[in-house]
Amino acid sequence: MAITVKLDDLLHDNRMTLTELAERVDITLANLSILKTGKAKAMRFSTLEAICRELKCQPGDLLRYVPADPE
Amino acid sequence: MTQTKKPNDIVLKSTRGLLIFTKWLLVLGVVALAIGIPTILLFTDKVATALADVFVTPPGSEVVWMIAGIMVFGAVMLLLTLFALGLLRRIVDSVGEGNPFTRINGTRLRGMGIAVLAIQIVTFFGGILATTILAILGEVKPDRDFHLSIDGGISLTGIMLALLLVILARVFDRGADMQDELEGTI
């Protein structure tokens, strides 16, 4: 997918673990791992809002568009 | 996969019970026909004599073979109904498990639709055969109280049910797609 989630960087910047974030945003660790590894198909605004609130960032800080290589 | 609460309410329980009861009734019917068909073919003469006792024109053994044919149509119809009920029971079970929007349920509904259509076709040809038999048998003896009417055309309700099931199968296919999308959403 051309959209990547920069959750690792933001967690590092905020000195927070994935488990801690999962507890704070009330999402299971399994689902947050899916999001982190880029396997999620879609993201709810409520999830985005919760993550941005806890990691003190903007949606643009969390998501990045990487154009796919032209075949 | 997301599992919702298990709605094992009275409607599901009674539907399951009714389906199991109907299944065994149908099995009984199939067994009766499986015994009856070879029996009347073994005793063709006796059946023909019994028919000659009721009808003015004594029928030949070919009529007994045609009656056996009707019974075969009946057995096929019962087997198709059993097949459709088996599929319906699995769908009801999946509703009980709280996860009905799956592709397999779409396939099951499509199978039920095809079974209902096949039952209509079998009923139609069975009706033609039965009408032919009645025409061959002709008049009933005046002192005998025997009346039989055949109603074996194509049923509009049956065709509508088949179409409804096939459309419902598509609804379930779409539901399964939406379920997939929902499961990939965080």
Side-chain angles (χ1 to χ4, degrees):
Chain A
M1 189 172 278
I3 300 291
T4 56
V5 182
K6 299 183 289 176
L7 202 53
D8 263 340
D9 300 344
L10 287 167
L11 283 170
H12 181 262
D13 293 348
N14 285 271
R15 290 182 176 76
M16 199 185 287
T17 63
L18 198 64
T19 313
E20 205 180 335
L21 180 65
E23 281 167 11
R24 287 189 185 196
V25 296
D26 199 23
I27 294 173
T28 63
L29 186 60
N31 276 344
L32 216 51
S33 293
I34 289 171
L35 190 66
K36 195 182 82 158
T37 51
K39 288 175 187 167
K41 285 182 188 169
M43 192 184 195
R44 289 189 185 89
F45 275 161
S46 57
T47 307
L48 187 61
E49 184 188 327
I51 292 174
C52 286
R53 184 188 66 229
E54 294 304 324
L55 296 179
K56 296 169 195 73
C57 66
Q58 291 298 313
D61 301 329
L62 184 66
L63 306 172
R64 185 170 59 176
Y65 172 67
V66 183
D69 290 333
E71 293 285 320
Chain B
M1 184 161 284
T2 311
Q3 289 288 320
T4 52
K5 65 186 168 70
K6 295 188 175 183
N8 276 326
D9 52 64
I10 189 82
V11 178
L12 276 179
K13 279 180 180 167
S14 34
T15 307
R16 264 196 213 117
L18 190 69
L19 285 173
I20 292 168
F21 175 71
T22 316
K23 177 192 150 186
W24 286 110
L25 268 185
L26 289 168
V27 168
L28 202 68
V30 172
V31 170
L33 284 170
I35 296 168
I37 295 165
T39 307
I40 71 157
L41 290 177
L42 274 175
F43 300 100
T44 311
D45 294 340
K46 283 189 179 174
V47 177
T49 312
L51 286 170
D53 195 40
V54 178
F55 294 94
V56 176
T57 322
S61 62
E62 76 280 358
V63 173
V64 181
W65 279 90
M66 287 166 92
I67 291 172
I70 292 268
M71 289 166 85
V72 170
F73 275 123
V76 170
M77 214 171 79
L78 291 184
L79 286 171
L80 283 168
T81 312
L82 256 176
F83 170 71
L85 282 187
L87 293 176
L88 181 59
R89 207 182 139 198
R90 281 185 212 130
I91 293 172
V92 170
D93 285 345
S94 73
V95 174
E97 285 157 12
N99 187 32
F101 288 109
T102 52
R103 272 181 192 81
I104 186 72
N105 274 352
T107 310
R108 283 170 184 156
L109 280 165
R110 213 167 280 116
M112 284 172 69
I114 292 165
V116 168
L117 199 66
I119 289 169
Q120 291 305 308
I121 294 166
V122 171
T123 311
F124 176 70
F125 286 109
I128 290 175
L129 191 58
T131 313
T132 313
I133 294 171
L134 277 187
I136 292 170
L137 288 171
E139 293 283 309
V140 178
K141 284 180 180 173
D143 56 330
R144 299 289 174 180
D145 184 25
F146 180 84
H147 178 73
L148 186 68
S149 65
I150 306 293
D151 182 26
I154 290 272
S155 152
L156 187 66
T157 317
I159 300 290
M160 290 294 281
L161 178 63
L163 287 174
L164 179 73
L165 287 166
V166 172
I167 296 292
L168 211 53
R170 286 194 184 183
V171 171
F172 268 70
D173 285 345
R174 183 77 188 107
D177 286 344
M178 289 169 81
Q179 177 94 5
D180 280 352
E181 268 180 42
L182 190 69
E183 277 168 12
T185 303
I186 309 295

